[in-house]
Amino acid sequence: MTRTALVVGATGIQGQAIAEQLVAEGWTVLGLSRNPQPQSGVTPVASDLLDPASVAAALDGLAPTHVFLTTWLRQPTEAENIRVNALMLRNLFDGLRPLGTVRHVALVTGLKHYLGPFEAYGQGQLPQTPFREDQGRLDIENFYYAQEDELFAAAKRDGFGWSVHRPHTVIGKAVGNAMNMGTTLAVYAAICRETGRPFRFPGSAAQWNGLTDMTDARQLAAQVIWAAETPAARNQAFNIVNGDVFRWSWMWHRLAEWFGIEAEDFDGVARPLAVQMADDARIWSRIAARDGLIEGDITRLISPWHTDADLGRPIEVVTNMSKSRKLGFTAYRATDEAFLDLFECLRSDRIIP
């Protein structure tokens, strides 16, 4: 059967990885974003999801069979996150409805489903770890829940199948992304090497000592495509992580080794990257100019606030993947190799020195 994918948020960490894998598997791929960038094998579709007329015009004449939703817009409050991000999905589904071609929609959210939104992150009564899909929603407003509700309502009305995917922190490449731990840590390590500053863990004792997991963007891509083509995965929500667990007390040294620097052992004092890197813009601009890097604006590469939120959590976070494993999804990625693969890619593309 014809397989035409519409990847919404195709220039982000998740969307890029999904689009690349779809192209590799022979799909026809449409990449929707506000400002499309050239992507091999992807037909760009420019649209502002907050503007219904823009969505209708962008989708006119297209015939996507599968939709992969990987986009959101960060707002100053959770109430605004809910309003804006629900509206974006509603406008998209309203634009897709007249086409009558969609068979499956995959929505990517994340572990804030279990941990709560940014305003109440990791607070209150949280479910036990490892997180399982049947633990349900927290008794608190969350834009992920609003996105799900828009998806469920559209699927019921229009007759397509759906899947929801909940990654942990995603490791992948994208310039200008709001949540980008891998590139943030790469830039931080490069600056530490340049200046001789200690490579200091910015987070909490719970994260340094406890077990955790992460999600390679390629692992996420594999699962969303698997779910789109697996009947048993229809109308299901899935956690998605790499399949291994680690402690940052080990990983921090692995990352430092790649950059040829010494990792400082955590002394119990939180030193957020937002503070450590507050004055690094001029340092990075100098490094970029000297080494011919493609992006000299550090704000386009790093997201200290997001990395600090993840590495500063006061609780251990691990994720159960039994649900999709039992249905046949068996892909695996080693998390340290995911970081090192990303660093190699960033260096090859002249994003880091």
Side-chain angles (χ1 to χ4, degrees):
M1 298 178 67
T2 300
R3 301 181 304 172
T4 299
L6 177 67
V7 181
V8 181
T11 59
I13 289 176
Q14 301 167 352
Q16 280 194 48
I18 292 169
E20 287 176 5
Q21 187 59 39
L22 288 165
V23 169
E25 294 186 16
W27 291 59
T28 298
V29 182
L30 311 169
L32 187 149
S33 60
R34 281 173 295 170
N35 299 294
Q37 303 298 318
Q39 294 173 270
S40 179
V42 177
T43 300
V45 179
S47 180
D48 178 359
L49 294 184
L50 290 173
D51 180 355
S54 170
V55 175
L59 296 178
D60 185 41
L62 303 181
T65 57
H66 297 72
V67 179
F68 300 89
L69 297 170
T70 69
T71 191
W72 72 292
L73 281 178
R74 187 185 181 202
Q75 303 300 312
T77 67
E78 191 60 18
E80 275 298 285
N81 274 330
I82 291 168
R83 184 187 69 81
V84 168
N85 289 284
L87 178 61
M88 289 167 60
L89 264 60
R90 198 175 314 132
N91 289 341
L92 177 66
F93 292 134
D94 286 347
L96 290 168
R97 187 168 304 118
L99 306 180
T101 58
V102 176
R103 302 199 296 262
H104 183 93
V105 176
L107 170 66
V108 179
T109 60
L111 294 195
K112 285 189 291 297
H113 182 94
Y114 309 106
L115 288 162
F118 291 121
E119 290 180 1
Y121 191 61
Q123 302 174 21
Q125 187 66 36
L126 300 177
Q128 277 191 330
T129 57
F131 295 138
R132 291 178 167 82
E133 297 91 343
D134 62 3
Q135 289 168 317
R137 296 179 174 184
L138 301 177
D139 186 20
I140 188 170
E141 294 296 309
N142 188 324
F143 85 88
Y144 281 171
Y145 305 160
Q147 287 183 311
E148 286 186 344
D149 288 343
E150 293 294 336
L151 172 65
F152 300 156
K156 182 177 181 180
R157 182 176 54 242
D158 300 333
F160 56 75
W162 56 266
S163 60
V164 174
H165 304 266
R166 299 170 186 158
H168 199 164
T169 306
V170 176
I171 302 168
K173 178 192 164 192
V175 174
N177 193 271
M179 298 192 295
N180 194 345
M181 181 189 287
T183 303
T184 298
L185 293 180
V187 169
Y188 173 58
I191 289 173
C192 287
R193 184 177 61 197
E194 175 79 10
T195 62
R197 280 161 35 188
F199 186 58
R200 287 175 168 160
F201 184 70
S204 67
Q207 292 304 303
W208 180 258
N209 296 313
L211 291 172
T212 192
D213 48 32
M214 292 184 73
T215 308
D216 188 309
R218 297 167 296 183
Q219 176 82 338
L220 171 63
Q223 192 193 60
V224 298
I225 297 170
W226 164 83
E229 299 188 296
T230 302
R234 182 182 175 93
N235 299 347
Q236 299 285 335
F238 299 106
N239 294 330
I240 174 62
V241 287
N242 289 333
D244 63 351
V245 294
F246 65 93
R247 303 181 199 276
W248 277 104
S249 57
W250 174 79
M251 185 68 76
W252 201 245
H253 289 269
R254 287 284 287 142
L255 304 189
E257 181 182 355
W258 192 90
F259 284 93
I261 58 179
E262 290 292 324
E264 184 175 271
D265 281 328
F266 183 58
D267 62 1
V269 178
R271 296 180 174 87
L273 289 180
V275 176
Q276 291 194 55
M277 303 184 75
D279 299 320
D280 284 347
R282 282 184 295 178
I283 296 172
W284 185 256
S285 178
R286 184 180 72 240
I287 294 171
R290 183 193 66 205
D291 295 343
L293 306 182
I294 66 171
E295 183 55 73
D297 181 356
I298 197 171
T299 64
R300 295 266 299 153
L301 298 176
I302 67 172
S303 53
W305 68 273
H306 175 256
T307 300
D308 288 338
D310 275 8
L311 297 184
R313 288 180 297 213
I315 58 172
E316 181 178 272
V317 178
V318 287
T319 314
N320 184 279
M321 276 195 49
S322 297
K323 186 177 182 181
S324 59
R325 297 295 194 215
K326 290 177 181 177
L327 294 177
F329 179 75
T330 58
Y332 166 85
R333 295 273 180 178
T335 301
D336 59 331
E337 293 177 4
F339 270 118
L340 304 189
D341 286 352
L342 172 64
F343 298 160
E344 292 283 1
C345 180
L346 294 175
R347 178 171 286 172
S348 175
D349 290 348
R350 294 188 297 112
I351 294 173
I352 63 171

